[in-house]
Amino acid sequence: MDLSFNINEDFNKLQVAELKKRLLKVYNGGGTKSIEKHHEKGKMTARERIEFLLDKNSESIEIGALVGEDMYAEHGGCPSGGVVVVIGYIHKKQCIVVANDATVKAGAWFPISGKKNLRAQEIAIENKLPIIYLVDSAGVYLPMQDEIFPDKEHFGRIFRNNAIMSSMGITQIAAVMGSCVAGGAYLPIMSDEALIVDKTGSIFLAGSYLVKAAIGESIDNETLGGATTHCEISGVTDYKAKDDQDALNKIRSIVSKIGDYEKAGFNKIKAKQPKENQDDIFGILPKLRTEQYDMYEIIHRLVDNSEIDEYKADYGKTLICAYARIEGWAVGIVANQRKVVKNAKGEMQFGGVIYSDSADKATRFIANCNQKKIPLVFLQDVTGFMVGSKSEQGGIIKDGAKMVNAVSNSVVPKFTVIIGNSYGAGNYAMCGKAYDPRLIVSWPSARLAVMGGAQAANVLLQIEVASLKKKGEKITPEKEQEILKTIELRYDKQTSPYYAAARLWTDAIINPQDTRKWINMGIEAANHAPIEKKFNLGIIQV
């Protein structure tokens, strides 16, 4: 171990410690006082409900835990978007659970809450996973209703998805464990089966105050839409539960009787741990995103037995394409090599850059994985495609387009791990969020942007200085440096993995040591959905 290894290790472990610190804050929901008030009503919190519902001592992964971080400060914040989404196991059946956090603004829906709920449904639809809704929400957050109500990807899309999932045969179970009002009242009733907790659960299109204002009728909320009303009179709900635990036990009982699913048939054998020490990742990964390192060293610490079968090892060396296994699952890995390499002509190629030969290799490898029904894993640390006259005349745009085409039309499930840089068109070619990865996560070391910080800051500086000069301002070297520092700070914040996670550009920021678990559970989820389309590249420039 050299000094740089130790420096990297200390830095990266501190990054993981910061991640854990932020997650602990998020897990506290609306705060200790809000949780106490919630408990006083005899109710469990969203996270307590999920923990009770899932099998004890079983694996789980949380989608969007950091959603909403540093957003909506003027409204008091919205930790986790006011909703908790977890993929886990109920009687050993993999399910996705969506639970409103009523300690955060009474579970009201902010714009990011709607986006997160839709992401949960998207995961259920893509993977044909049973979905459980634990409803406890005051409905749309009215001060921001214009940002969540009318558009295609807003609140109403959730009920449309309920109907689509029902037609697809995807099991949906809803438990009303608190408020369920206005348009939100449709969600449990559009599920296959609905439960309601006596005295704490309520469902109505309009509460007692609004009913009084609208039609002059005086009625209390319990009579209007409580458990007795909906289980004995309206028939809206199917089961009455005496408390939260009773409702959750009923869900577990219902799920235990669901039949087996038709499998996609991805190849799996008994898992083996990597031979190489996974802890070494912290020392291998450089402190600075501009520094070079050997991606093979990372791969060998992620794959079973540290073994790979590399495809075209001596061609297109800035992209590593290899077959391997992760937790027993066969996978095809596409990873950016981050050290300088030499091609067959003796030319030096920069690490993290996609060249024409690399894009050509990756296109063919992706096609092979689709032919063999092998899920794809993208390990991103990419600064973009090679530029300059030589690359343009060599057809880099054409070769890059072929790779993007292959990623876009791929029918096998794709999983993306952003290890370091994720810049520009490199993000697209390496299966960024726009290219429908089943799951996309980042390590704390990730950076997402249209270009690297130094390049972007200098471009933005030139634009801003030119604009100020047009207005007649004199720009001294000191003023220019002041402007540059302001731009760098702003850009650095916007490229942070936390900025991306808050907006659900990624599903999570994870400890690198959890990467195998995420891919394992992701492929298991994807195995619920047989592949129905054939791989077709469409028209490409050869």
Side-chain angles (χ1 to χ4, degrees), residues 380 382 418 422-435 448-449:
Q380 279 197 18
V382 58
I418 305 174
S422 181
Y423 294 155
N427 169 282
Y428 302 156
M430 292 294 292
C431 198
K433 183 67 180 286
Y435 292 80
L448 289 83

Side-chain angles (χ1 to χ4, degrees), residues 84-152:
V84 183
V85 176
V86 172
I87 300 175
Y89 299 90
I90 302 173
H91 285 288
K92 298 183 179 180
K93 287 184 171 64
Q94 199 176 44
C95 303
I96 185 162
V97 185
V98 181
N100 299 114
D101 186 351
T103 70
V104 179
K105 289 284 191 294
W109 290 54
F110 283 68
I112 199 67
S113 315
K115 186 175 183 179
K116 186 171 175 179
N117 276 268
L118 288 172
R119 176 61 179 144
Q121 289 185 320
E122 180 182 39
I123 291 170
I125 290 169
E126 285 181 329
N127 300 292
K128 296 188 176 177
L129 280 184
I131 184 167
I132 318 295
Y133 306 101
L134 306 180
V135 185
D136 194 346
S137 171
V140 166
Y141 183 62
L142 287 177
M144 303 187 76
Q145 65 85 28
D146 62 319
E147 295 182 47
I148 190 173
F149 172 65
D151 209 347
K152 181 179 178 180

Side-chain angles (χ1 to χ4, degrees), residues 61-306:
I61 54 177
E62 183 173 350
I63 305 296
L66 292 161
V67 158
E69 186 178 58
D70 290 335
M71 296 171 69
Y72 313 121
E74 67 276 23
H75 298 278
C78 187
S80 273
V83 62
V84 183
V85 176
V86 172
I87 300 175
Y89 299 90
I90 302 173
H91 285 288
K92 298 183 179 180
K93 287 184 171 64
Q94 199 176 44
C95 303
I96 185 162
V97 185
V98 181
N100 299 114
D101 186 351
T103 70
V104 179
K105 289 284 191 294
W109 290 54
F110 283 68
I112 199 67
S113 315
K115 186 175 183 179
K116 186 171 175 179
N117 276 268
L118 288 172
R119 176 61 179 144
Q121 289 185 320
E122 180 182 39
I123 291 170
I125 290 169
E126 285 181 329
N127 300 292
K128 296 188 176 177
L129 280 184
I131 184 167
I132 318 295
Y133 306 101
L134 306 180
V135 185
D136 194 346
S137 171
V140 166
Y141 183 62
L142 287 177
M144 303 187 76
Q145 65 85 28
D146 62 319
E147 295 182 47
I148 190 173
F149 172 65
D151 209 347
K152 181 179 178 180
E153 299 297 331
H154 283 177
F155 193 67
R157 186 79 172 182
I158 290 161
F159 315 128
R160 174 263 186 195
N161 285 349
N162 289 142
I164 295 296
M165 283 191 278
S166 183
S167 72
M168 293 174 67
I170 297 170
T171 298
Q172 300 176 82
I173 301 168
V176 180
M177 311 180 84
S179 297
C180 183
V181 301
Y186 288 106
L187 186 145
I189 313 314
M190 294 190 73
S191 299
D192 302 331
E193 295 184 87
L195 303 83
I196 186 168
V197 177
D198 197 19
K199 300 298 185 287
T200 55
S202 58
I203 310 171
F204 35 67
L205 294 180
S208 56
Y209 292 123
L210 190 54
V211 167
K212 177 70 174 176
I215 63 173
E217 180 183 2
S218 296
I219 189 170
D220 63 273
N221 281 339
E222 181 64 26
T223 306
L224 182 65
T228 299
T229 295
H230 287 311
C231 286
E232 298 180 20
I233 301 171
S234 72
V236 163
T237 49
D238 306 307
Y239 308 95
K240 184 197 287 188
K242 63 182 180 181
D243 54 27
D244 281 9
Q245 289 95 332
D246 188 34
L248 297 168
N249 279 325
K250 174 58 74 174
I251 293 171
R252 284 185 56 82
S253 180
I254 293 168
V255 171
S256 72
K257 298 171 181 66
I258 297 173
D260 202 2
Y261 57 91
E262 185 182 353
K263 295 174 177 62
F266 302 121
N267 186 281
K268 187 178 186 183
I269 61 174
K270 186 177 179 180
K272 293 181 180 178
Q273 286 298 305
K275 280 184 178 178
E276 301 291 343
N277 188 352
Q278 292 181 69
D279 289 346
D280 289 347
I281 288 172
F282 296 116
I284 295 165
L285 198 65
K287 177 179 177 179
L288 299 177
R289 296 276 49 83
T290 52
E291 289 183 13
Q292 301 282 299
Y293 65 96
D294 190 347
M295 183 60 83
Y296 287 102
E297 295 298 323
I298 300 291
I299 294 171
H300 289 152
R301 286 158 178 81
L302 295 178
V303 301
D304 289 13
N305 216 33
S306 300

Side-chain angles (χ1 to χ4, degrees), residues 11-12 15 281 285-291 293 295 298 335-336 338 352 378-384 416-424 426-427 430 441-449 451-452 495-497 500 506 510 512:
F11 177 79
N12 287 313
Q15 296 272 82
I281 288 172
L285 198 65
K287 177 179 177 179
L288 299 177
R289 296 276 49 83
T290 52
E291 289 183 13
Y293 65 96
M295 183 60 83
I298 300 291
N336 302 106
R338 281 292 289 145
F378 292 84
L379 302 179
Q380 279 197 18
D381 195 343
V382 58
T383 54
T416 302
V417 182
I418 305 174
I419 289 175
N421 303 317
S422 181
Y423 294 155
N427 169 282
M430 292 294 292
V441 298
S442 70
W443 290 358
S445 47
R447 289 279 159 183
L448 289 83
M451 66 175 72
T495 61
S496 160
T506 58
I510 66 169

Side-chain angles (χ1 to χ4, degrees), residues 10-54:
D10 290 344
F11 177 79
N12 287 313
K13 285 187 174 180
L14 282 173
Q15 296 272 82
V16 171
E18 172 64 17
L19 170 62
K20 290 177 179 177
K21 179 182 173 183
R22 292 194 188 211
L23 286 172
L24 282 174
K25 184 179 178 182
V26 160
Y27 295 158
N28 205 36
T32 304
K33 287 185 179 179
S34 293
I35 291 172
E36 287 173 357
K37 287 180 181 178
H38 200 72
H39 285 160
E40 285 168 8
K41 297 174 185 176
K43 296 163 70 173
M44 304 165 76
T45 66
R47 293 182 185 279
E48 288 168 346
R49 287 166 176 168
I50 292 174
E51 184 181 2
F52 187 95
L53 181 62
L54 298 180

